[in-house]
Amino acid sequence: MTPLSPERKKQVRLNLTVSAVLLALYTLLLLLGRDVTFFSYFETAGTLLLVSVFLHRFDPMYYLGIVGFACAAQCGGVMLRLYDVIPIYDLLLHLASGILLTFMGHYFLQLLLRKHPEHRIPRLIVLWFCWLFAMASAGVWEIYEFTADRLFGLDCQLWTLGYGGLVDTMTDIIMGACGSLAGVFLLWMVLKHRKMD
């Protein structure tokens, strides 16, 4: 494993500090919350720990996006039951996931190109790749939700709230698509700003 530069060490410390603060918050919510179950805490804290172990070396822009999204979905949606309280909470998360997945597409593209730094890809193609990555990921996520519900009896498609089925799947994909368009615009702004630096 390559030794980290002082700047990268600082970034990793920031990532792990954010994770530690969120884990403390989740634990506090479990101890204080009457409606927080141990299972929802275990699911939420487990997700955070997995992200911390496997992704802590990510650039903070990407890492904080992933951890923030996981916090909104797991802590907000599961522990605090915002899926039950706010009818459009799931749609808002799918919208946000489109933005996040667009940036993750950019991250993965950078990893793929790291071995070929001499090749410069036009910005338009980078943006197309990121948009298609986000759209494909939204579809794969819906396949996961359907499969998990069928095989393991979970409620990823929110059948208990009266959702589920084709309408839920298509609405989620459409929201992810809208989010990915917003993500492409934001990524374009970031790339344009970097070029000006």
Side-chain angles (χ1 to χ4, degrees), residues 150-178:
R150 295 291 176 186
L151 293 181
F152 305 112
L154 300 177
D155 191 29
C156 298
Q157 292 185 300
L158 304 175
W159 289 95
T160 56
L161 296 177
Y163 304 115
L166 182 61
V167 172
D168 174 72
T169 299
M170 292 310 299
T171 306
D172 289 350
I173 289 175
I174 290 167
M175 293 305 287
C178 293

Side-chain angles (χ1 to χ4, degrees), residues 5-136:
S5 68
E7 180 62 29
R8 290 291 294 131
K9 285 181 183 176
K10 187 178 174 184
Q11 291 176 344
V12 168
R13 270 197 305 275
L14 171 67
N15 292 346
L16 293 175
T17 301
V18 168
S19 294
V21 168
L22 284 175
L23 186 59
L25 173 69
Y26 298 163
T27 305
L28 186 65
L29 286 172
L30 174 68
L31 297 174
L32 298 178
R34 291 171 295 175
D35 294 335
V36 176
T37 65
F38 184 75
F39 178 77
S40 67
Y41 169 78
F42 180 75
E43 186 179 1
T44 303
T47 301
L48 178 64
L49 290 173
L50 285 173
V51 168
S52 300
V53 168
F54 292 108
L55 306 180
H56 67 275
R57 287 183 169 223
F58 270 32
D59 182 300
M61 178 175 80
Y62 301 107
Y63 186 82
L64 297 176
I66 292 168
V67 169
F69 182 80
C71 179
Q74 297 293 324
C75 181
V78 178
M79 283 182 78
L80 300 178
R81 299 184 182 171
L82 292 181
Y83 289 121
D84 300 329
V85 177
I86 303 171
I88 62 166
Y89 193 73
D90 182 55
L91 296 178
L92 294 174
L93 284 178
H94 280 280
L95 184 72
S97 75
I99 297 169
L100 178 63
L101 288 168
T102 302
F103 278 84
M104 291 311 300
H106 184 252
Y107 180 80
F108 289 127
L109 182 61
Q110 286 179 309
L111 286 181
L112 291 171
L113 296 176
R114 190 172 286 167
K115 292 184 179 180
H116 306 285
E118 69 278 2
H119 296 297
R120 289 193 52 86
I121 297 179
R123 190 183 310 153
L124 184 60
I125 293 176
V126 170
L127 295 172
W128 268 103
F129 175 87
C130 296
W131 180 69
L132 292 172
F133 178 89
M135 292 291 293

